[in-house]
Amino acid sequence: MAGFGTLLFTWLKGKLVGTDTAGNRYYIERSPAKGCRAKRWVIYNGVTEASAVPPEWHAWLHHTVDAPLTDAERRGWQKPHVANNTGTSGAYLPPGHELRGGQRDRATGDYEAWQP
C-alpha cells in the first residue's frame, strides 16, 4: 500500500490515467512545473512490487510512449503478464531443490568430472 505522503500528493496533484488488470492505478501530474515533463506514478493494488507493472504501463511510466499501450492488439505469441514470484510460495523450484525434498535424478553417465 502507498504511504501517506504518496496518497496526499496523489490527492492534491494527481490525475488518474487508468488501471491495469491487476488493479494498479496510474497517475500523471495535473500541472507540471514550466519546462518540466509531468511526473507519472503508480499506486499498487496490494503489495508494492515493481514487477507487478505490465509492459504496456511500464513503457508509459518511463516516458517511452505518450499514451499507455492498453489498446494495442495482443499477438498470439504474447503471454499474459505475471509478476515475479521469487521469494514467495509461488517461486519456481527446480527438481532436486532442498525445498522440494532434495532428491535429484541419478546421473546418466554422460558427465565426466574435471580433474586438474
Side-chain angles (χ1 to χ4, degrees):
M1 187 65 191
F4 176 73
T6 303
L7 292 175
L8 182 63
F9 183 81
T10 301
W11 182 70
L12 292 173
K13 297 190 177 237
K15 175 185 164 193
L16 182 65
V17 174
T19 59
D20 63 17
T21 56
N24 300 326
R25 297 182 317 257
Y26 298 88
Y27 293 90
I28 191 166
E29 192 174 11
R30 276 191 217 127
S31 52
K34 188 173 182 177
C36 297
R37 62 184 183 185
K39 292 179 179 156
R40 299 174 178 179
W41 66 96
V42 59
I43 304 283
Y44 295 97
N45 180 24
V47 178
T48 301
E49 173 56 45
S51 71
V53 175
E56 54 270 12
W57 283 102
H58 181 274
W60 178 80
L61 278 172
H62 292 274
H63 298 274
T64 304
V65 294
D66 292 330
L69 303 173
T70 55
D71 297 334
E73 182 180 325
R74 294 194 66 81
R75 307 287 171 97
W77 49 265
Q78 289 178 306
K79 293 183 177 181
H81 177 71
V82 178
N84 185 350
N85 289 323
T86 301
T88 68
S89 59
Y92 170 74
L93 302 174
H97 191 279
E98 290 289 327
L99 296 176
R100 283 185 75 183
Q103 297 297 319
R104 291 178 43 183
D105 293 337
R106 302 262 321 144
T108 60
D110 62 347
Y111 174 78
E112 185 177 316
W114 179 77
Q115 296 199 5

